[in-house]
Every structure is written in structure tokens, then in C-alpha cells.
């Protein structure tokens, strides 16, 4: 596992976001744990066998995880830990064409009407009423909220920062959340750090399944965008 740690340091030196580093490291560590294979001696079929075991992954997730493994093995070769990259022998999953898949209005109402923990409801509202990705939801803190200007500060992909308007419902919710520090802190194994984005996805996903609703947590973000467009918002904006 020390190799994963070294890879994380190398990525940090290249100014990769902490979110990206953690997610890449998590997936590679999962491979090492589940396969029981040393990454320095792993063969293409060892990796292919592990990838094939996870049929529960969607097409997009499988393609993303494949890219993480490819990046890791490229690094191993570049750092002279290996002489060849076994990922070159494994066909990469095709990324699906991206098209909006918003949750239906009626499903959103039904989803928000079921019994759930307050933090689960807040996570959902941040996705549906501010359009935040699960990774962005995980990192929300009290300092990101500007109630006077009715806006929330969001750090998105590529560390791009922007202000997003706060829906009136989120304004009320924000008043019940901490004004300082993380809204969704990690557990005792992650002191001072936010909950993992996958945990946010799992929490929302479980609630959606309990409500009998098809879709993914990202469907909330799609609902936000398509609803804005339907109400006449500018596409570029």
C-alpha cells in the first residue's frame, strides 16, 4: 500500500485536487485489497478479473475506474517500478453518451416526503436546489454560506470556484446548520476532513431506493439544470 501513498504524494506535487487524489487512491486500494495481488506483479488478467467482478458499476463508473487504474500503472512504469503497463492489454469500457437524466418532479416530491435523517435531506436539497455534485456536497462548510447575499460558494472540478444562488428553502436550511466548519464531517478515521463523496452518493442512493425511485444522486443535479432551462435560463449561464 506504500505505493498508493507515494502516488498520492506525486499527484499532490502536480497540484491535483485532494478530492481527485483520494478517489483515485480509494479505487486502487480497493483493487489491491479485493484481488489480493501485489500491484508490482499483477498481470492483465488479474486486473481484468477484478474489474469484471463489479457488474454493479454503471458504464460511466466503470470507465472512470478503468482510467484510475490506467493512471496508476502509467505512474508505476514512469517511476521504474514496472517495465510494462498491463492495462494496455485490457479493453477500456466506452463512456456512455451524456444526456440529461433528471429525476421526475413527482419523484422528487415523493423522495423528500419520506422519513430520513436531517443531513440526508440537506444533501438532497443541495443537489436539487443548488445543483451540487456529490463531491461538492461533501465539502460544504458554514463559511461557504453568505446569507446576506443569498449565495453559496462552491469549489467544483479543477478547483474552479464560483458563487451559486441559494434557493429560499436552502436559506432556511442553512440557518439550522453550523455557521463554521464542515456540514458533513468525516468519521473518527477522518478527523477534520469531510465525508467522502462516495458516502454522500451512497446515503442519497439508499434513500432513493427506499422511496422506490429510479435514478442516481446525480439525477438531482440534472433536475436542477433542466428545470432552470425550462424556466428560461440562459444555457451558457
Amino acid at each position: 500500500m506504500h505505493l498508493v501513498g507515494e502516488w498520492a504524494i506525486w499527484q499532490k506535487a502536480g497540484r491535483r485536487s485532494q478530492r481527485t487524489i483520494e478517489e483515485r487512491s480509494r479505487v486502487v486500494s480497493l483493487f489491491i485489497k479485493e484481488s489480493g495481488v501485489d500491484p508490482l506483479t499483477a498481470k492483465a488478467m488479474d486486473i481484468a478479473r477484478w474489474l469484471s467482478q463489479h457488474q454493479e458499476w454503471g458504464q460511466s463508473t466503470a470507465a472512470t475506474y478503468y482510467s484510475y487504474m490506467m493512471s496508476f500503472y502509467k505512474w508505476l512504469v514512469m517511476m521504474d517500478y514496472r517495465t510494462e503497463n498491463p492495462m494496455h492489454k485490457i479493453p477500456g469500457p466506452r463512456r456512455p453518451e451524456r444526456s440529461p437524466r433528471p429525476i421526475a418532479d413527482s419523484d422528487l416530491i415523493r423522495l423528500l416526503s419520506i422519513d430520513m435523517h436531517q443531513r440526508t435531506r440537506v444533501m438532497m436539497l443541495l443537489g436539487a436546489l443548488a445543483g451540487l455534485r456529490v463531491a461538492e456536497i461533501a465539502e460544504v462548510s458554514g463559511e461557504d454560506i453568505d446569507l446576506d447575499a443569498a449565495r453559496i460558494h462552491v469549489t467544483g472540478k479543477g478547483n474552479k470556484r464560483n458563487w451559486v444562488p441559494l434557493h429560499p428553502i436552502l436559506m432556511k436550511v442553512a440557518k439550522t446548520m453550523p455557521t463554521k466548519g464542515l456540514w458533513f464531517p468525516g468519521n473518527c478515521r477522518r478527523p477534520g476532513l469531510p465525508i467522502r463523496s462516495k458516502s454522500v452518493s451512497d446515503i442519497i442512493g439508499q434513500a432513493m431506493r427506499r422511496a422506490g425511485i429510479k435514478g442516481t444522486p446525480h439525477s438531482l443535479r440534472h433536475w436542477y439544470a433542466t428545470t432552470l432551462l425550462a424556466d428560461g435560463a440562459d444555457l451558457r449561464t
Side-chain angles (χ1 to χ4, degrees):
M1 297 292 281
H2 73 281
L3 290 172
V4 180
E6 288 187 16
W7 185 42
I9 293 172
W10 181 83
Q11 293 178 85
K12 197 168 186 177
R15 295 299 188 268
R16 293 288 187 274
S17 73
Q18 187 62 30
R19 183 187 307 158
T20 296
I21 294 171
E22 288 187 0
E23 184 63 6
R24 286 179 170 183
S25 298
R26 182 188 68 80
V27 171
V28 173
S29 296
L30 184 65
F31 159 68
I32 296 172
K33 178 181 178 181
E34 292 185 344
S35 69
V37 177
D38 186 336
L40 294 180
T41 58
K43 300 183 184 302
M45 280 308 301
D46 294 324
I47 302 171
R49 191 173 295 109
W50 175 71
L51 291 171
S52 68
Q53 289 172 352
H54 287 282
Q55 293 300 308
E56 76 277 11
W57 293 342
Q59 191 74 6
S60 180
T61 298
T64 298
Y65 289 1
Y66 175 92
S67 72
Y68 292 167
M69 294 295 291
M70 177 66 80
S71 296
F72 177 63
Y73 276 96
K74 280 184 178 179
W75 176 78
L76 288 179
V77 172
M78 184 178 66
M79 300 299 286
D80 297 324
Y81 283 119
R82 290 188 61 129
T83 58
E84 40 71 45
N85 185 345
M87 294 300 297
H88 289 316
K89 299 178 181 179
I90 305 173
R94 289 185 178 180
R95 288 190 179 275
E97 292 186 9
R98 295 192 177 276
S99 56
R101 293 179 297 172
I103 186 173
D105 291 355
S106 57
D107 283 347
L108 179 59
I109 293 172
R110 188 162 88 248
L111 176 61
L112 292 173
S113 68
I114 68 171
D115 290 332
M116 67 182 79
H117 292 296
Q118 171 67 0
R119 73 167 189 166
T120 302
R121 188 178 304 279
V122 175
M123 289 176 180
M124 289 181 181
L125 291 173
L126 286 168
L129 302 182
L132 270 59
R133 302 176 177 89
V134 291
E136 295 162 354
I137 293 172
E139 297 185 355
V140 171
S141 68
E143 290 83 355
D144 294 326
I145 307 299
D146 183 347
L147 289 176
D148 292 333
R151 60 184 186 174
I152 177 173
H153 193 245
V154 180
T155 301
K157 287 185 176 180
N159 284 325
K160 292 181 179 178
R161 300 178 180 181
N162 208 345
W163 287 100
V164 174
L166 267 184
H167 189 281
I169 292 176
L170 281 175
M171 289 279 288
K172 293 181 180 179
V173 167
K175 294 176 182 178
T176 70
M177 301 299 285
T179 56
K180 293 183 179 180
L182 294 164
W183 279 13
F184 313 109
N187 57 29
C188 60
R189 290 178 293 181
R190 290 170 58 81
L193 295 176
I195 189 174
R196 295 186 186 279
S197 57
K198 186 178 185 304
S199 297
V200 175
S201 182
D202 289 343
I203 289 169
I204 297 176
Q206 288 168 8
M208 295 177 85
R209 286 190 291 274
R210 283 196 294 112
I213 294 170
K214 293 182 179 180
T216 67
H218 206 68
S219 299
L220 299 174
R221 175 175 165 84
H222 286 182
W223 181 87
Y224 172 81
T226 54
T227 300
L228 285 177
L229 288 174
D231 287 344
D234 176 72
L235 180 60
R236 182 178 296 277
T237 303

